Amino acid sequence: MKTRGLLIVLSGPSGAGKGTVCASLRKRLPELVYSVSATTRPPRKGEVDGVNYFFKTKEEFERMIQQGELLEWARFVDNYYGTPRGFVEDRLNEGKDVLLEIEVQGARQVKERFPQGVFIFLLPPSMEELHSRLQGRGTETDEVLRERLEAAGEELAQVHHYDYVVVNDRVEDAYDRIRSILMAEHLKRERLFHDQPDWLEGL
Amino acid sequence: MKTRGLLIVLSGPSGAGKGTVCASLRKRLPELVYSVSATTRPPRKGEVDGVNYFFKTKEEFERMIQQGELLEWARFVDNYYGTPRGFVEDRLNEGKDVLLEIEVQGARQVKERFPQGVFIFLLPPSMEELHSRLQGRGTETDEVLRERLEAAGEELAQVHHYDYVVVNDRVEDAYDRIRSILMAEHLKRERLFHDQPDWLEGL
């Protein structure tokens, strides 16, 4: 009974702890595939093409944009970053689930191009905690902090595009919640029968 | 952050192991409320009104049917059995999840009267296993077995009305799957915001 894998998009405002939760998922759900980004920035020492990133030239990357080969992309300063659709589709077709940990802006693009994904919005346990995380080590100026809070507010407003909301109070609990979402999504009747219309006969 | 509870309807064909899975849920998820049925049959020794059943007279039961106070009901021989809506609604309003373990016919009625419930269809691990479970101790005649298989076939066809499909290969795994479904359903964005439109502000 092999069904197509799920694309799970984990996003949320800066300060929600996406990286920490993702690290816990990597450790505890090794069967999950973690999406590899494409970038035009040069490899750093020890980085392997196809593992850390797919390293592309500017021309290659722009061709990928034009041909719709990216689920999302952005340009930071002089470099492009994006998620190649091909890598994701290949793993899904192998029946593997793919996790994409991504900023809210990128997730919005993925939602447009891959609406059948499972979109999870990660939240900090409280607004107070978010403030304190954004403050960082307290060395930022008031203006920087104000800008960050404003950005976080805009990111929070994007929650309405998501399927699930997970509060990251304890990493262990966030992990358990995300694992449950994955399991439940695989048990959805419509997904089983959409992927395999004669699933019941094959039992 | 108190949200309304969920009504979870666990059903499936005879021989799927509903009772065994339900017993495991009762043991391991004591915070779940198990729906109490109403019946017109007389209490047996040790049975307590409101715990094992709500014991009703025939007149009371028929009044409940007429007033739409039952989520489902059926008549077996001379007695009525049914699920009082009031008990379920009260527990849901207290924020508790209510589990209803029920035959496929009854679940169909609940679906019509309470479509916002979470409908889980329990399946035996294979058709062979279903056959062997329906055979029981092997003392049934071929005709009885044939009737049971036919009934099971009709019940299986009802799977299309359900939200989730859980294969009961091992009770432990079935428990884990149902627990995940419950958790994931509580994390659905639309449920959070439907129950508490200003949920985000309250964080």
Side-chain angles (χ1 to χ4, degrees):
Chain A
M1 287 203 300
K2 195 166 144 188
T3 56
R4 200 159 183 258
L6 301 172
L7 175 63
I8 301 111
V9 178
L10 181 65
S11 191
S14 308
K18 293 190 289 293
T20 317
V21 169
C22 197
S24 165
L25 287 166
R26 267 178 193 269
K27 199 168 143 194
R28 303 191 51 182
L29 296 177
E31 68 277 20
L32 257 184
V33 174
Y34 296 85
S35 171
V36 177
S37 297
T39 184
T40 55
R41 81 150 168 74
R44 289 178 193 146
K45 206 185 154 186
E47 285 184 339
V48 179
D49 187 45
V51 176
N52 304 92
Y53 283 97
F54 293 109
F55 294 103
K56 303 285 176 190
T57 64
K58 190 162 170 271
E59 291 68 36
E60 285 172 329
F61 203 101
E62 287 173 349
R63 191 197 51 76
M64 291 175 82
I65 296 174
Q66 279 152 23
Q67 312 229 327
E69 289 174 19
L70 295 163
L71 285 177
E72 55 83 32
W73 65 272
R75 189 171 181 158
F76 294 113
V77 196
D78 274 342
N79 287 307
Y80 287 115
Y81 294 83
T83 302
R85 179 189 273 271
F87 175 84
V88 170
E89 294 273 8
D90 290 349
R91 298 297 90 72
L92 297 179
N93 288 334
E94 289 165 10
K96 293 191 174 127
D97 293 337
V98 179
L99 187 90
L100 190 53
E101 181 223 327
I102 198 172
E103 300 300 320
V104 168
Q105 299 287 346
R108 185 73 188 266
Q109 291 181 52
V110 180
K111 177 85 180 175
E112 277 165 28
R113 290 165 196 168
F114 204 96
Q116 67 271 43
V118 177
F119 290 78
I120 304 176
F121 199 78
L122 196 69
L123 276 181
S126 67
M127 289 301 172
E128 289 71 34
E129 178 64 22
L130 182 64
H131 284 212
S132 113
R133 289 184 193 176
L134 292 177
Q135 251 164 345
R137 286 158 301 189
T139 51
E140 283 78 6
T141 64
D142 283 357
E143 204 192 315
V144 167
L145 182 60
R146 195 162 46 240
E147 276 169 18
R148 283 193 190 168
L149 284 173
E150 209 173 282
E154 282 167 25
E155 288 174 330
L156 282 170
Q158 299 286 319
V159 67
H160 291 282
H161 299 289
Y162 287 73
D163 301 305
Y164 295 97
V165 179
V166 167
V167 175
N168 182 22
D169 39 9
R170 287 178 58 235
V171 174
E172 186 68 12
D173 291 336
Y175 157 78
D176 191 30
R177 290 170 191 139
I178 293 170
R179 173 186 173 274
S180 291
I181 291 169
L182 261 70
M183 185 174 273
E185 283 286 330
H186 276 288
L187 298 170
K188 277 190 173 174
R189 191 254 317 149
E190 56 183 13
R191 214 179 274 280
L192 276 173
F193 285 91
H194 180 271
D195 290 349
Q196 306 188 122
D198 54 355
W199 175 83
L200 200 58
E201 281 74 40
L203 257 189
Chain B
M1 288 201 301
K2 194 167 146 190
T3 56
R4 201 160 182 259
L6 301 171
L7 176 62
I8 301 112
V9 178
L10 181 66
S11 191
S14 308
K18 294 189 288 295
T20 316
V21 169
C22 198
S24 165
L25 287 167
R26 267 178 193 268
K27 200 169 143 192
R28 301 191 52 183
L29 297 177
E31 67 277 20
L32 257 184
V33 174
Y34 297 86
S35 170
V36 177
S37 297
T39 184
T40 56
R41 81 151 168 73
R44 290 178 193 145
K45 204 185 156 187
E47 285 184 338
V48 179
D49 187 46
V51 176
N52 304 92
Y53 283 96
F54 293 109
F55 294 103
K56 304 284 176 189
T57 64
K58 192 162 169 273
E59 292 68 37
E60 285 172 330
F61 203 102
E62 289 173 347
R63 190 197 51 76
M64 290 175 83
I65 296 173
Q66 280 153 23
Q67 313 227 327
E69 291 175 17
L70 295 164
L71 285 177
E72 56 81 36
W73 64 274
R75 189 171 180 158
F76 294 112
V77 198
D78 274 344
N79 287 308
Y80 287 115
Y81 295 82
T83 303
R85 180 189 273 270
F87 175 84
V88 170
E89 294 274 8
D90 290 348
R91 297 297 90 70
L92 297 179
N93 287 334
E94 289 165 9
K96 292 189 176 130
D97 293 338
V98 179
L99 187 90
L100 190 53
E101 180 223 328
I102 197 171
E103 299 302 318
V104 169
Q105 299 286 346
R108 185 73 189 267
Q109 291 181 52
V110 179
K111 177 85 179 175
E112 277 164 29
R113 291 167 195 165
F114 205 94
Q116 67 272 42
V118 177
F119 291 78
I120 303 176
F121 199 76
L122 196 69
L123 277 180
S126 68
M127 289 301 173
E128 291 70 35
E129 177 65 20
L130 182 64
H131 285 212
S132 113
R133 289 185 192 175
L134 292 176
Q135 251 164 347
R137 286 157 301 186
T139 50
E140 283 78 4
T141 63
D142 284 357
E143 204 192 313
V144 167
L145 181 59
R146 197 162 43 241
E147 277 170 16
R148 282 192 190 167
L149 284 172
E150 209 174 283
E154 282 166 24
E155 288 174 330
L156 283 171
Q158 299 284 320
V159 68
H160 291 280
H161 299 289
Y162 287 73
D163 301 306
Y164 296 97
V165 179
V166 167
V167 175
N168 183 21
D169 40 8
R170 289 177 58 236
V171 174
E172 187 68 12
D173 291 336
Y175 158 78
D176 191 30
R177 291 171 190 138
I178 294 169
R179 173 185 173 273
S180 290
I181 291 168
L182 261 69
M183 186 174 272
E185 283 285 332
H186 276 288
L187 298 171
K188 277 190 173 173
R189 192 253 318 149
E190 56 183 13
R191 215 178 273 281
L192 276 173
F193 285 91
H194 180 270
D195 290 349
Q196 306 187 120
D198 54 355
W199 175 83
L200 200 57
E201 281 75 41
L203 259 189

